[in-house]
Amino acid sequence: MKRLILALSVLLASASAAAAQQTPAGVGLSGPPVVTFVEAGRLLADPSNGVVQRSKTLVISGNQVVDIRDGFVGDPAQGRVIDLRDSFVLPGLIDSHVHLTGQQNPNSRLEEVTQSEAAQAMVGARYARRTLMAGFTTVADLGADNEAIFALREAVKAGDVPGPRIIAAGSAVSVHGGHGDANGFRADVLHLLSPESVCSGPEDCMRAVRTQIRAGADIIKITATGGVLSNTAAGLNQQFSDPELTAIVESAHRMGRQVTAHAHGVDGINAFLRAGGDSIEHGTYLDDQSIRLFKQNDAWLVPTLLAGDFVARVASGPDNFFTPAQTAKALEAGPKMLEMARRAHQGGVKIAFGTDSGVSAHGDNAKEFALLVRAGLTPLEAVQAATVGAAAHLRIADEAGRIAPGMPADIVAVSGDPLSDVTELERMRFVMKGGVVYRAD
């Protein structure tokens, strides 16, 4: 813990120095809030209605939008004017599933036993900045070492580290020996790597949930089924028992936390939804009954199509660095995810944008949009999934997903029209979070 605090002190000092070189648009150390005028050529302020307005000026005081005015009426005498007259402006994007403290690479298994919590926090700071520069001003981190991710969350919140707002789960609640537990190492190493959130039996799983909440979890992430990247040949089906799932969901809800489940196999998907779970990550083998349960429970699907695409390409490519167990599952599950999302969308399941970045590369998050469109969503629906949809899913609709008076000034811009070509969102040119400009190409 002392090493983590020392390392973060160094990180915060360097990040603060870097931030001081930027031009702040937020609240100063003293005096009234700084006023900024953002002149937008095209503005999708509320993606829920799909209305694109033209020639608008956003008035920002400190970190908050206070007005949207007709015409280009920025006044240099009253504040800073940002010229986005030739741009398409929309709310900061939301990724509902990332893992900021790491990224898949040939040394991933070695890093599990060589990186300290402090090192993971440092890595997370790098990837947080990369994610923010890609236009994602809010993320949900769904699986990381508690100390590393909670420290990073607080550092970003304090403005000491540039990054998106982080909703953090910390360690996933998992079964002993299953996805989310340590696998594939010698016994004494497994004992050291296994997190406190691993559990067996309903009462122990209630303990795991409460332990995570005590540690600082904003949301509870569980692994309801096996996973592709766990180094064990345990399949992709249900791993928690039904009573364990019920205990997890009920104990989390009693303490004001929603529960989202990593789930591939249809048995685990349906069991979790029957237990009252709030959302499913991946959903690879969902069926018609799953779709009915999603709609009955008002639950959300986070398809993470980019992760499926990535693992399938790595596992089938010449430079495959996965273990044999990982490779078999990647080749099985990855190619099925696009069609899964198509069936869910056609069935009326609510979809929130999420990439599982950390599996794929951080900063490539916007590549998920094109995959969602290939799965049958319109470009507008894909944008909605990453704005108003993700905000509703994460229960932050008053803080993110729209540009409106009273909302935080989380604003991004691209040159072309993403409602015609959704890949425009892969070419971000302007990023403002909380009234501070981080990117202005």
Side-chain angles (χ1 to χ4, degrees), residues 16 74 98 100 103 107 111 132 134 143 158 175 177 188 254 298 386 410 418:
S16 296
V98 302
L100 289 174
Q103 183 169 292
N107 294 317
E111 290 170 354
L132 178 63
V175 300
D188 54 344
R254 278 195 293 267
D298 200 29
D410 295 350

Side-chain angles (χ1 to χ4, degrees), residues 369-386:
F369 286 108
L371 293 169
L372 288 170
V373 171
R374 283 178 58 192
L377 279 71
T378 66
L380 175 60
E381 287 174 329
V383 170
Q384 289 169 337

Side-chain angles (χ1 to χ4, degrees), residues 55-261:
S55 302
K56 294 287 183 177
T57 298
L58 310 176
V59 184
I60 297 160
S61 178
N63 61 6
Q64 190 175 78
V65 177
V66 295
D67 198 8
I68 301 177
R69 297 176 183 171
D70 293 331
F72 299 136
V73 293
D75 185 352
Q78 296 184 32
R80 183 173 63 160
V81 179
I82 296 175
D83 181 359
L84 295 178
R85 296 184 182 190
D86 63 347
S87 299
F88 190 106
V89 177
L90 64 161
L93 304 173
I94 304 168
D95 191 329
S96 302
H97 189 147
V98 302
H99 301 277
L100 289 174
T101 59
Q103 183 169 292
Q104 281 296 313
N105 67 83
N107 294 317
S108 292
R109 292 191 68 228
L110 181 61
E111 290 170 354
E112 289 185 60
V113 294
T114 57
Q115 282 190 341
S116 66
E117 294 92 342
Q120 291 175 42
M122 296 287 191
V123 169
R126 178 171 77 243
Y127 290 141
R129 184 182 187 279
R130 193 172 295 176
T131 302
L132 178 63
M133 296 295 278
F136 290 82
T137 55
T138 300
V139 299
D141 189 289
L142 300 183
D145 174 84
N146 280 353
E147 287 192 19
I149 193 60
F150 296 151
L152 179 61
R153 175 189 64 191
E154 297 308 308
V156 171
K157 188 183 298 184
D160 295 320
V161 172
R165 175 194 296 107
I166 299 171
I167 297 167
S171 296
V173 176
S174 311
V175 300
H176 286 98
H179 186 64
D181 196 3
N183 289 286
F185 299 100
R186 48 189 263 187
D188 54 344
V189 175
L190 288 174
H191 176 73
L192 292 171
L193 293 179
S194 187
E196 281 190 277
S197 56
V198 172
C199 59
S200 291
E203 293 208 359
D204 192 33
C205 290
M206 290 170 63
R207 174 207 55 79
V209 169
R210 292 166 179 167
T211 298
Q212 280 305 108
I213 294 172
R214 181 180 65 186
D218 301 309
I219 183 172
I220 297 299
K221 157 77 176 297
I222 78 164
T223 54
T225 73
V228 169
L229 295 182
S230 50
N231 185 29
T232 176
L236 296 171
N237 291 328
Q238 183 174 348
Q239 294 190 337
F240 279 109
S241 69
D242 288 4
E244 287 171 332
L245 291 171
T246 298
I248 288 168
V249 171
E250 290 182 352
S251 56
H253 286 177
R254 278 195 293 267
M255 298 185 75
R257 300 300 193 276
Q258 67 191 99
V259 189
T260 194

Side-chain angles (χ1 to χ4, degrees), residues 8-28:
L8 279 174
S9 298
V10 175
L11 174 64
L12 301 186
S14 62
S16 296
Q21 297 173 14
Q22 301 178 29
T23 305
V27 181

Side-chain angles (χ1 to χ4, degrees), residues 2 7 55 128 133 145 212 268 293 398 411 426 433:
K2 290 180 179 177
S55 302
M133 296 295 278
D145 174 84
Q212 280 305 108
L293 288 167
D398 292 336
I411 297 164
E426 299 175 25
K433 177 195 160 215

